[in-house]
Amino acid sequence: MNSYWDVGQFFSVSMLASDVGKAVQAAERLFRLKPPVWYLRSLVQNLLLIQRFKKPLIEHSPRQERLNFWLDIIFEATNEVTNGLRFPVLVIEPTKVYQPSYVSINSEAEERTVSLWHVSPTEMVREQS
């Protein structure tokens, strides 16, 4: 799929069907298509409706962690102002693979720190595919 409309709809349907693996694939594809922010805002509205009326899937797995990351990055991309201390980022590994990660910035402490941690390494996700 090469249209962000198609991929976004597939992502929404995958979320409705609780198909975590397909939702992660669609979110990754959507990122590569670089949709405009106004489209992501529309997608976020659909996701909010899904979250409001669908029973949440309570699962803790590497796949679910990756899906949560993609939801965070989509929601963050639509915010005009960020006031958090933790940010979703994609780190490009030497193998040219994007690694979902989070950056945490602590500028309030006496000793300022920046932390980076990866979301479920790719090897873990592939094992459960």
Side-chain angles (χ1 to χ4, degrees):
M1 286 190 237
N2 293 319
S3 164
Y4 53 78
W5 293 108
D6 293 341
V7 176
Q9 288 300 319
F10 185 79
F11 179 64
S12 296
V13 169
S14 297
M15 292 295 292
L16 275 170
S18 299
D19 190 333
V20 175
K22 295 291 184 189
V24 168
Q25 287 177 344
E28 289 175 356
R29 181 68 184 142
L30 192 62
F31 169 77
R32 293 181 197 288
L33 292 173
K34 300 176 184 171
V37 173
W38 63 265
Y39 177 74
L40 290 176
R41 285 190 183 120
S42 175
L43 179 63
V44 163
Q45 293 304 311
N46 291 343
L47 293 172
L48 290 172
L49 282 171
I50 291 169
Q51 288 178 343
R52 182 173 179 195
F53 294 107
K54 188 174 183 315
K55 183 179 175 183
L57 178 67
I58 308 297
E59 173 190 336
H60 185 72
S61 68
R63 278 189 187 179
Q64 185 64 46
E65 287 179 27
R66 288 177 83 83
L67 178 58
N68 291 343
F69 166 82
W70 285 107
L71 290 170
D72 285 348
I73 210 163
I74 289 169
F75 279 86
E76 275 296 317
T78 62
N79 288 338
E80 291 183 20
V81 177
T82 294
N83 55 4
L85 299 174
R86 182 184 83 151
F87 307 95
V89 296
L90 285 165
V91 176
I92 301 175
E93 296 290 334
T95 58
K96 305 290 185 206
V97 172
Y98 287 107
Q99 174 62 53
S101 306
Y102 285 94
V103 170
S104 176
I105 301 168
N106 186 355
S107 61
E108 301 296 322
E110 194 172 303
E111 190 173 313
R112 295 178 178 160
T113 59
V114 175
S115 302
L116 172 74
W117 68 95
H118 295 309
V119 175
S120 61
T122 307
E123 298 80 37
M124 290 177 64
V125 176
R126 285 193 185 130
E127 288 173 8
Q128 294 186 355
S129 295

